[in-house]
Amino acid sequence: MKYQISDQELDRRVGHMRAHMEQQNLEGLVVFGATRTFYLSGFHHLATERPVVLVVPLRGELALLVPHLEEENIPVRNPNIKEMKVYREYPGLKHPMVYLAELLGDKGLAESRLGVDSSGWGGGMGYRGPDLSEVVPKATLVNVRDVIDDMRAVKSAEEIELIRLSAMFGNVTHGFLQDHIEPGAAEVDVAQRASRDGTAFMIKALPEDWEPYGRSEGAHASFTSGPKTAFNHRRAGGRRLKPGDVILTYAGAEVGGYTSELERTLMIEPLTDDHRKYFDLEVQAQDVAFDAIRPGARMCDVEKAVNAFLEENGLYDLTRTHIGHAIGIEGHEGPFLDLGDQTEIQVGFCLTVEPCLFLPGFAGFRHSDTVVVTEDGIDMITYYPRDIESLTIPA
């Protein structure tokens, strides 16, 4: 079972960027973003006040600026990276950005034309420091952020397989979640039990050297219930489940740095006519979105199609979000299934599809599925049941 990106894939990505560098007369890249660093080098870190910066010369070895605490990780986890510039700590007696200037000098790039994804380190957590232009004032800086992110939008076969694996673990974890739901149970207790069970399944399925890259320690499940579901981004808490509750769920798992998104509307008996009505309309809206996703269409066309369905059924005022977004290394990536996004849909895009209906004082209704765009339309990566019979919990 492959559970991480291969060195050959990383070489392909760097080769793609170097072709762009040659076209634009760039002699190097300076990458500050943690996600973009991982995408191009395979080195994963949690962005903090300590700068980690990837330097990609047009020719020669990749190099990383890292704090001392990361130095020993690289030969073990990323033997493809041969060069490092190490500083003791932030802020230190000599600022890390000064070390970066020295690294660029060592690579012969301090006075070069450089592609950058940002003007400087943006890790937050109390960080303060100079922009790159202040420490290498003779360099010419060209923003290539969107070039990297456009490349990330089209997923390779290896990436899609990792997202499929993530979806499989998410599917299993959601099954545990549904099994644990019953009237009287506390939201957070059910969510934690399902997360533990899903993670235990991952431990059995993956090799012993598997280790999560993200902040989650394995599989993750969560949900909100009852009137809370009419509000976005609420979390599992102490509320106890009741007969007649609508439940909005999430289940997923990160594998090799990649994730998927599976969300469902569950309901505890007894169901009313309104439960059935809005559940069915939300599923129909998602089907409209599925039908609209195809190569050559634009991302905005998908929301236009869904909005036409919603307006026809008098539902548009019950929506609050766009229809979905790209997904991969990050849970939310561009482009977006949004009226303002003119991006042409391409084979290899991996998207979430999640139209939703929010009825204040009653409930919210949403399924979210992860799909990959194919030459003929879409392939569903998530596969948990979507029908009302499968998602109704006996009281």
Side-chain angles (χ1 to χ4, degrees):
M1 182 182 294
K2 293 185 66 173
Y3 60 99
Q4 59 188 13
I5 292 295
S6 68
D7 287 347
Q8 292 77 17
E9 171 83 1
L10 296 173
D11 290 343
R12 182 193 66 79
R13 297 171 182 178
V14 171
H16 183 97
M17 285 307 301
R18 281 176 165 157
H20 176 79
M21 291 160 65
E22 284 197 304
Q23 292 173 359
Q24 300 299 316
N25 296 316
L26 300 174
E27 297 176 64
L29 297 180
V30 180
V31 181
F32 290 96
T35 300
R36 298 183 191 100
T37 293
F38 172 69
Y39 180 75
L40 290 172
S41 72
F43 177 70
H44 179 270
H45 67 285
L46 299 178
T48 69
E49 74 278 9
R50 304 177 181 96
V52 171
V53 186
L54 175 67
V55 175
V56 181
L58 183 58
R59 295 174 183 82
E61 296 288 348
L62 277 61
L64 276 172
L65 172 77
V66 294
H68 179 59
L69 63 85
E70 295 283 8
E71 182 178 6
E72 293 177 344
N73 276 327
I74 294 173
V76 175
R77 298 174 67 175
N78 299 92
N80 58 308
I81 299 173
K82 310 297 183 185
E83 297 183 15
M84 287 182 287
K85 184 78 170 181
V86 180
Y87 62 91
R88 175 68 184 177
E89 181 56 288
Y90 169 87
L93 298 176
K94 183 168 70 173
H95 194 279
M97 288 294 286
V98 177
Y99 282 89
L100 177 58
E102 292 176 353
L103 172 59
L104 292 171
D106 295 341
K107 303 288 282 183
L109 298 173
E111 300 181 12
S112 300
R113 183 175 163 86
L114 302 174
V116 299
D117 69 333
S118 176
S119 62
W121 180 246
M125 298 191 176
Y127 173 81
R128 297 182 182 184
D131 284 348
L132 181 62
S133 60
E134 296 176 65
V135 296
V136 285
K138 294 184 179 180
T140 300
L141 307 182
V142 179
N143 194 321
V144 297
R145 178 198 63 197
D146 294 351
V147 176
I148 301 173
D149 289 351
D150 286 348
M151 182 167 66
R152 288 174 53 201
V154 179
K155 302 301 190 279
S156 69
E158 285 192 26
E159 290 177 295
I160 292 169
E161 286 309 304
L162 290 178
I163 296 169
R164 287 189 190 280
L165 192 55
S166 165
M168 184 269 287
F169 290 125
N171 195 80
V172 170
T173 302
H174 197 286
F176 288 127
L177 178 67
Q178 186 164 344
D179 285 346
H180 293 322
I181 288 174
E182 60 183 2
E187 290 175 338
V188 71
D189 182 49
V190 172
Q192 289 180 349
R193 289 171 63 194
S195 298
R196 287 194 297 269
D197 290 346
T199 301
F201 181 82
M202 292 182 71
I203 292 169
K204 292 178 181 178
L206 292 168
E208 287 190 8
D209 61 353
W210 163 71
E211 182 177 321
Y213 283 122
R215 294 183 184 274
S216 173
E217 294 182 354
H220 178 66
S222 188
F223 67 93
T224 58
S225 64
K228 290 169 60 177
T229 60
F231 302 92
N232 248 340
H233 296 159
R234 297 293 292 271
R235 301 182 65 183
R239 185 183 186 277
R240 295 190 178 275
L241 300 172
K242 299 176 175 62
D245 272 351
V246 171
I247 299 167
L248 292 188
T249 69
Y250 163 84
E254 174 266 306
V255 181
Y258 286 80
T259 191
S260 58
E261 183 172 288
L262 167 65
E263 296 175 349
R264 288 291 182 265
T265 301
L266 305 181
M267 295 179 290
I268 301 179
E269 293 180 331
L271 305 189
T272 67
D273 289 343
D274 279 345
H275 283 113
R276 295 183 176 89
K277 171 184 175 180
Y278 289 107
F279 183 99
D280 184 57
L281 286 166
E282 188 281 326
V283 171
Q284 289 182 54
Q286 195 185 31
D287 285 337
V288 170
F290 291 149
D291 291 342
I293 298 172
R294 60 186 184 278
R298 297 172 300 169
M299 298 289 282
C300 60
D301 294 334
V302 180
E303 182 164 12
K304 288 178 181 177
V306 174
N307 285 352
F309 168 81
L310 296 174
E311 290 169 354
E312 180 182 340
N313 288 275
L315 301 170
Y316 183 74
D317 290 343
L318 302 182
T319 64
R320 297 197 190 119
T321 68
H322 50 216
I323 304 306
H325 50 82
I327 191 169
I329 299 172
E330 297 173 292
H332 281 230
E333 297 181 349
F336 297 86
L337 295 171
D338 184 276
L339 293 177
D341 196 322
Q342 301 287 324
T343 304
E344 183 177 304
I345 297 172
Q346 299 180 49
V347 172
F349 276 15
C350 195
L351 308 170
T352 70
V353 184
E354 48 182 317
C356 52
L357 302 174
F358 295 105
L359 289 80
F362 178 44
F365 295 81
R366 177 178 62 222
H367 289 355
S368 180
D369 282 282
T370 303
V371 306
V372 61
V373 179
T374 66
E375 292 183 357
D376 300 323
I378 61 169
D379 182 16
M380 295 278 285
I381 289 182
T382 46
Y383 52 91
Y384 204 81
R386 299 169 59 232
D387 62 283
I388 194 168
E389 291 80 14
S390 299
L391 299 176
T392 298
I393 310 295

